[in-house]
Amino acid sequence: MSRFGGRVAVVTGAGSGIGAAVARRLTADGALVAALDVDGDAARATVADAGGSIAVVADVADPGSVDAAVAAVEQQLGPVDLLAHVAGIDADRALKERLAEHRRAVERGDGERGFRGLVDLTDEQWDRVLRVNLDGTFYVVRATLRVMIPRRRGAIVTTASTAGMSGNAGVAHYAASKGGVRILTQSVAREVAPFGIRVNTIAPGATATPMFGRTPDGERLVAGTPIGRSADPDELAAAYSYLLSDDASYIVGETMNVNGGMVIQ
Ligand SMILES: NC(=O)c1ccc[n+]([C@@H]2O[C@H](COP(=O)([O-])OP(=O)(O)OC[C@H]3O[C@@H](n4cnc5c(N)ncnc54)[C@H](O)[C@@H]3O)[C@@H](O)[C@H]2O)c1
């Protein structure tokens, strides 16, 4: 008997990195997976690779697009039982490079230790990250719960970050978006546990994905991690599969750190 035995799962951000690994893993564990991504080619590539189910194109930052996607999944596979909401974006590359250059300058003893991260952050940079990461989590979880609550069953895992646990100088908007995901998850977990629906979040650390590849000083983060290496996305996927499964039947509102010891709480 497989872990999920034909239950219907939506995986957002399934076109790349952690989301693609989660889609593969849930498919292997017996779920019918809807691989959702704003990048349709990437979502279709994941479905071809995972060997099952359907690709769905949607922008998690657009509530109409999300609602239509959840309706399309219900029509093609049946009502959603499981949600792994993984889609998210990082701070833009120019900002991360400016931060990395600042760190190098401080190490050379050349320049002030302080970094004018927040005061130089533009409204557009703030809005872009908050819209996808925090608003997007609201839209996806809301649409899914509308299907789960009447059926009195379901499990949801959202995606936070180590940055959302203890803050991250230079990318306060990203950290705030992920801290928001965590508190949103905890609040909703309290709301819907009485309906038989479990909601938890995973806070990944340095994980070897295209997003992490865009981090200019990623090696520094990995070097500061007790385990001494980045995670393989499959190691994250194992945690999503566990929290979505009945093996985690008494775990509600938890933040699971999957970070090699980068943040221990
Ligand atoms: N990789 C890491 O080290 C790391 C660390 C902490 C947290 N995270 C979080 O894990 C999640 C996955 O990260 P990843 O490293 O796999 O990133 P990634 O960039 O490799 O993949 C993200 C996927 O999300 C999709 N996506 C982006 N915006 C979208 C939108 N508006 N609508 C639908 N899909 C959208 C992208 O097209 C892409 O396929 C993100 O939420 C990220 O913040 C990653």
Side-chain angles (χ1 to χ4, degrees):
M1 181 55 182
S2 68
R3 178 172 252 183
F4 294 118
R7 273 182 258 179
V8 174
V10 170
V11 181
T12 71
S16 176
I18 297 170
V22 172
R24 286 194 303 269
R25 173 68 194 246
L26 298 189
T27 304
D29 285 345
L32 299 174
V33 174
L36 184 155
D37 205 286
V38 72
D39 180 341
D41 287 343
R44 284 184 282 276
T46 296
V47 169
D49 187 31
S53 305
I54 60 168
V56 181
V57 184
D59 177 356
V60 299
D62 172 353
S65 172
V66 168
D67 291 350
V70 171
V73 172
E74 179 156 11
Q75 203 177 25
Q76 292 178 62
L77 299 179
V80 180
D81 298 302
L82 311 169
L83 167 67
H85 175 51
V86 188
I89 57 172
D90 49 344
D92 59 82
R93 187 164 181 106
L95 178 59
K96 293 211 282 189
E97 270 167 4
R98 198 160 66 80
L99 181 59
E101 176 46 40
H102 169 76
R103 285 201 183 113
R104 285 192 290 271
V106 170
E107 273 168 13
R108 289 193 305 268
D110 177 13
E112 272 189 294
R113 275 200 327 118
F115 181 70
R116 293 165 51 94
L118 192 79
V119 293
D120 289 336
L121 197 65
T122 67
D123 295 354
E124 292 71 28
Q125 287 170 325
W126 173 271
D127 287 343
R128 175 180 162 271
V129 167
L130 268 289
R131 228 166 40 78
V132 174
N133 291 357
L134 185 53
D135 297 3
T137 301
F138 164 50
Y139 299 142
V140 173
V141 171
R142 180 177 65 177
T144 312
L145 284 175
R146 283 175 176 157
V147 177
M148 291 177 174
I149 287 174
R151 303 178 72 229
R152 301 291 196 271
R153 58 186 273 189
I156 292 175
V157 178
T158 62
T159 304
S161 169
T162 48
M165 304 296 290
S166 56
N168 207 346
V171 288
H173 56 330
Y174 178 77
S177 74
K178 292 301 190 174
V181 167
R182 185 171 170 228
I183 295 294
L184 173 67
T185 303
Q186 292 174 345
S187 305
V188 176
R190 291 177 185 276
E191 283 182 15
V192 300
F195 294 115
I197 300 163
R198 292 182 307 101
V199 190
N200 292 288
T201 194
I202 286 180
T207 309
T209 68
M211 180 187 284
F212 190 64
R214 294 190 292 271
T215 302
D217 54 359
E219 325 78 57
R220 171 199 299 270
L221 273 176
V222 172
T225 302
I227 206 167
R229 62 173 178 83
S230 57
D232 186 287
D234 288 342
E235 294 177 284
L236 270 295
Y240 283 83
S241 175
Y242 167 67
L243 281 180
L244 288 171
S245 78
D246 295 340
D247 288 340
S249 54
Y250 204 65
I251 301 183
V252 171
E254 176 68 6
T255 301
M256 183 184 276
N257 289 301
V258 187
N259 65 27
M262 188 191 287
V263 171
I264 300 177
Q265 287 184 325

